[in-house]
Amino acid sequence: MISMSEPFTGVSGLIVEPGKNISLVLAVLDKQKPLCDFLKHAASCSEDKGLTLLDLWTTRGEFLTTVLIALTVQSPETLKSFTDCLSKNEAVKATSFSTSRWIGLAVESWGFPALPHTGRVLVLEKGFLEGFLREGWRLLGRSLGLALYHSAFSYGQEIASRLRALGLEGKDLLILASEVLRHLGYGRVYWEEFTDSKAIIVVHDSLECKSASGVPGYESSILRGIVAGIAGTVWQVDKSRVEARETACISRGDQACRIEVYLKTISR
């Protein structure tokens, strides 16, 4: 019995194969590369390796494609060999895998992209988020923004660190981070400029700032903190060395939000 779903936040699947050890492999692909070439490569990787491909799902993001493969394997070594083989395809940006806790059953939901040991996601109804931000800012003002920024900065660090654990660096890490944020609903994030000491990020349809539209003095705190945390991790510095400010915001009537992040110099 096989059933599956494909929510916009990623891919998920349910596999039931009584008595079999089921594993799941996820590959993140360059969207510009032909998917059929990867599928042929995956088929060749499975030959003579003592594994059986059960099913496969794909979902296409704005920049990347994910492929979720369910399979049975004879040993952990076989699973790693298969995943290593997939990684040799030129379209593959990153891979990850997991094994089922139960014989004959695999249930998995992957964020986009796969983040090792991903925690549970708290889903907030849009009206609740809007009320929280608007009333919170009215009552607490910039004190709320400060708390949100520092919390979000830590989350940005976590995103970048987990992407690095997948072997991603530089431009690939930034693009994949944008996909994570887009699929989590934060908006369409573009890294307009990124150097060793400065980053300029343009965000379209920021959920946070749309929710706070018209609130006097409001500025992005959550998204500003996340991108600052990502930049700080790429620069390999702590929070004290990073300065982030929003120079345009849709909550103030601008067409898009613009966030500038700087690496502070150390005074001697």
Side-chain angles (χ1 to χ4, degrees):
M1 179 181 72
I2 299 173
S3 63
M4 57 84 67
S5 63
E6 195 168 286
F8 83 101
T9 51
V11 288
S12 60
L14 167 65
I15 294 289
V16 180
E17 289 285 340
K20 296 182 180 179
N21 290 310
I22 303 171
S23 298
L24 291 162
V25 174
L26 185 131
V28 181
L29 312 179
D30 184 340
K31 187 178 179 180
Q32 303 305 316
K33 303 293 184 181
L35 180 59
C36 60
D37 290 349
F38 169 78
L39 298 180
K40 292 177 183 178
H41 180 75
S44 66
C45 287
S46 66
E47 294 177 356
D48 304 320
K49 283 189 169 60
L51 56 84
T52 302
L53 300 183
L54 300 175
D55 213 328
L56 177 149
W57 308 276
T58 66
T59 184
R60 294 176 67 82
E62 188 168 349
F63 301 106
L64 299 157
T65 297
T66 53
V67 179
L68 179 62
I69 303 170
L71 66 161
T72 60
V73 297
Q74 294 180 346
S75 66
E77 291 75 19
T78 302
L79 180 60
K80 186 177 187 306
S81 175
F82 174 71
T83 306
D84 290 344
C85 181
L86 291 182
S87 300
K88 295 177 181 178
N89 185 273
E90 65 174 6
V92 175
K93 295 291 187 181
T95 59
S96 189
F97 62 85
S98 71
T99 55
S100 177
R101 298 180 183 178
W102 304 279
I103 299 296
L105 174 67
V107 182
E108 189 56 89
S109 178
W110 299 79
F112 191 100
L115 301 179
H117 314 297
T118 300
R120 294 182 181 274
V121 176
L122 175 63
V123 179
L124 297 180
E125 195 274 332
K126 181 178 180 295
F128 177 81
L129 176 63
E130 181 175 329
F132 168 74
L133 292 176
R134 298 179 73 87
E135 286 302 304
W137 194 268
R138 183 180 67 83
L139 294 171
L140 301 174
R142 295 189 181 276
S143 295
L144 174 67
L146 189 63
L148 291 176
Y149 172 81
H150 286 285
S151 299
F153 189 100
S154 298
Y155 180 58
Q157 289 177 311
E158 182 73 8
I159 289 176
S161 296
R162 289 181 172 183
L163 292 178
R164 270 190 165 165
L166 294 176
L168 298 168
E169 296 289 347
K171 183 179 179 181
D172 287 340
L173 187 151
L174 297 177
I175 289 175
L176 222 53
S178 294
E179 283 293 273
V180 173
L181 297 177
R182 186 173 71 86
H183 281 276
L184 289 175
Y186 286 108
R188 292 178 287 125
V189 179
Y190 297 93
W191 301 84
E192 189 174 89
E193 178 182 340
F194 200 97
T195 69
D196 291 338
S197 59
K198 178 182 179 181
I200 297 178
I201 302 96
V202 176
V203 186
H204 296 273
D205 301 321
S206 166
L207 176 63
E208 172 195 2
C209 297
K210 285 170 65 176
S211 297
S213 177
V215 175
Y218 189 85
E219 63 180 1
S220 170
S221 302
I222 300 173
L223 196 57
R224 181 167 57 93
I226 292 175
V227 297
I230 293 171
T233 302
V234 173
W235 290 332
Q236 297 184 343
V237 298
D238 61 25
K239 191 184 302 179
S240 66
R241 295 286 310 282
V242 179
E243 178 183 357
R245 57 175 178 263
E246 189 181 41
T247 57
C249 185
I250 59 174
S251 71
R252 302 192 293 267
D254 297 310
Q255 290 187 339
C257 298
R258 181 183 175 92
I259 300 170
E260 298 181 6
V261 184
Y262 297 93
L263 176 63
K264 296 181 182 178
T265 57
I266 300 177
S267 57
R268 297 181 179 178

